[in-house]
Amino acid sequence: MDDSHTLSLLEQRDILTQQLLGRPYSTFTYIERTRCYEELGYPDLGTGDAYRALLLTDEISDDSGEYHEEALEAFCEDVKSRLGDASSLKFGTHFSIAQDERVDEYHRIPAGPRETIFDESEDSTFLLSIIDQQRLNCFALLSRLLSQLGCLRSAYDFMERGLAATPAQDMEFILRRREIIKKYNTMLLEKDPNWNDWDWNPKTDLPEQGHARRDLYPWNHHEPDRFSEENLSILSERIKRIAPKCEVRVTSLPILEKTQSSTSNHSKTPATNKQLGLFATQDIAPGETLLQETSLLTANNRLHDPLCDACSAPLPPINNNNNNNTSPLPSCPSCEDIIFCSPTCHSLATSLYHPAVCGKPDLDALAKDPSPLAATNALYLLLLGRAFAMSVTQQVHPLDLPETSFLWGDFSFPSPSPSSSPPPSSSSPATTTRSEGGEGKGKTLPWTFSDNILAPLHLLQKMDLNIFTALRSTEPWVLATLVAKFRGVASARMDERTRMPDGEEGVGGGSVGRGLYV
């Protein structure tokens, strides 16, 4: 892909995004931006858009849907506007109005409310067929993009849903099934040439975890320059409040590559990358407390552990005096089991995050007490929830929060020509111009449809956030950027014995017991 085409795609992506901000229920625009993301080499972001488009097709068809009226109105407007140029109008992979025999009857399609659209008229049948085709487009896009990501089980599921929704066997879905099975067979044969390719079940044995690019997206204007003098001064001022004898400085660290060849020329100057470090400005005595901070960007995935809701510190015991009276810990009167370790944490929670989740009991048990294998992703999901609660309460974009804006995301910095083949198995990963984690290496993150699409959208729904009208803050790339930042500073590494998050991760964040703080 040449630079001019990439820049054209980036411009198209910006135009489509502005259209969605103005008309957030447009299935057509979401599908168009899905294809734009695919060409830019971001199938994970395209998956997010395609799934939102699929949700909107369900809303259009279901007159009891929460966003039915809005989605239907946007759909009718889209159809009416696109019928003006029949020669170039295409609704997607499966459907072209220009091929429809009713091309001369476009002017008859109404744009009124549902009762005038979904009646027994011929136009109603035509519109319903367009909705069905849009749904098929979503199934096809989701299956293709998930296959590119390496999430073959989800790709196979959407392929089957597409086949089930077609009156005849659609060739695109048939070819997708063959491609998924061939890809899996190739993977297993590479591991074991004697593997029996008939002895497996695609619904249970296909791999689900893939990988997505870990990029600082070209359109992300929220990321600060962590190395500028102005921002270093800001960070040092913050550090002085919690570590009076320290300051933040830029330092260069050697790049440690596990795959570095032993025959490499060791006489050359070793490659380095810039990082931020904590440096002492005064002598520090043995045993002296170096840093003490209370962070509200925390997560705890244990449902009934006696921890402060704000800072995740253990709750202090209730004091008993001589009269056997108790001094209850501060709590939220509108929520069950939301207790704070101190009046300070209670006050901070009230002003900084709790109003966004107060009185929403469905959130209390969300991602709590997960299986050991799901514990890590559950913690990152809970961190997302806390970040959005802070964002909503403070009316600040989640990437502009003081707690998130300077977090190290270990991003790759893509060149103007991102790779069109993003899976990590590609022999030509995306190039970079600079990276805090190493020069010239395209980085990836583990990615599944459930953990990176379904779970965050479910979380936002439980918080009563409209993912369509709140697009600016709930964009798939915003979620991906937050997760990359959390993984960059809070690894939630697993204890080999208990299979639960354990261990200190150092300055800037990490896991503490069964929780995370950033």
Side-chain angles (χ1 to χ4, degrees), residues 85-149:
D85 184 6
S87 62
S88 62
L89 174 62
K90 289 183 181 294
F91 284 116
T93 306
H94 296 80
F95 186 77
S96 172
I97 284 189
Q99 298 173 356
D100 192 273
E101 61 185 8
R102 297 175 62 250
V103 69
D104 293 329
E105 301 181 34
Y106 290 156
H107 64 280
R108 294 177 52 198
I109 295 182
R114 181 179 63 85
E115 54 268 20
T116 64
I117 297 294
F118 294 101
D119 52 21
E120 299 299 324
S121 68
E122 186 179 357
D123 288 332
S124 172
T125 302
F126 180 51
L127 287 177
L128 287 170
S129 71
I130 298 177
I131 297 173
D132 291 340
Q133 294 297 337
Q134 287 289 64
R135 187 175 291 110
L136 288 178
N137 287 338
C138 294
F139 288 146
L141 287 166
L142 286 165
S143 181
R144 183 169 74 240
L145 295 171
L146 287 165
S147 178
Q148 292 175 20
L149 288 161

Side-chain angles (χ1 to χ4, degrees), residues 57-69 114:
T57 64
D58 292 338
E59 291 289 328
I60 295 169
S61 302
D62 182 6
D63 58 6
S64 65
E66 183 178 3
Y67 308 118
H68 170 72
E69 295 295 335
R114 181 179 63 85

Side-chain angles (χ1 to χ4, degrees), residues 37 51 63 73 92 101 140 194 210 278 369 459 494 501:
Y37 276 138
Y51 187 68
D63 58 6
E73 180 181 1
E101 61 185 8
N194 297 319
L278 193 63
D369 290 340
L459 169 74
M494 305 298 291

Side-chain angles (χ1 to χ4, degrees), residues 22-41:
R23 301 182 63 251
Y25 298 99
S26 171
T27 57
F28 290 86
T29 309
Y30 266 117
I31 289 176
E32 290 171 7
R33 200 174 68 160
T34 295
R35 295 197 176 92
C36 185
Y37 276 138
E38 182 180 18
E39 282 201 66
L40 283 168

Side-chain angles (χ1 to χ4, degrees), residues 221-297:
H221 304 299
H222 298 272
E223 193 70 14
D225 181 355
R226 300 167 76 239
F227 304 135
S228 71
E229 291 297 327
E230 178 183 1
N231 287 327
L232 285 174
S233 176
I234 292 173
L235 289 172
S236 288
E237 286 299 317
R238 292 183 186 177
I239 284 294
K240 286 180 181 179
R241 302 170 196 164
I242 59 176
K245 293 187 177 182
C246 298
E247 69 178 7
V248 177
R249 299 179 193 169
V250 178
T251 185
S252 294
L253 300 175
I255 298 175
L256 303 178
E257 297 287 353
K258 293 182 180 180
T259 59
Q260 187 174 9
S261 172
S262 59
T263 60
S264 60
N265 188 350
H266 295 288
S267 63
K268 294 183 179 179
T269 303
T272 62
N273 65 87
K274 293 199 301 184
Q275 293 281 2
L276 296 182
L278 193 63
F279 290 81
T281 58
Q282 304 175 40
D283 291 339
I284 300 171
E288 180 180 355
T289 298
L290 174 64
L291 183 150
Q292 186 170 358
E293 178 186 19
T294 298
S295 174
L296 298 187
L297 187 52

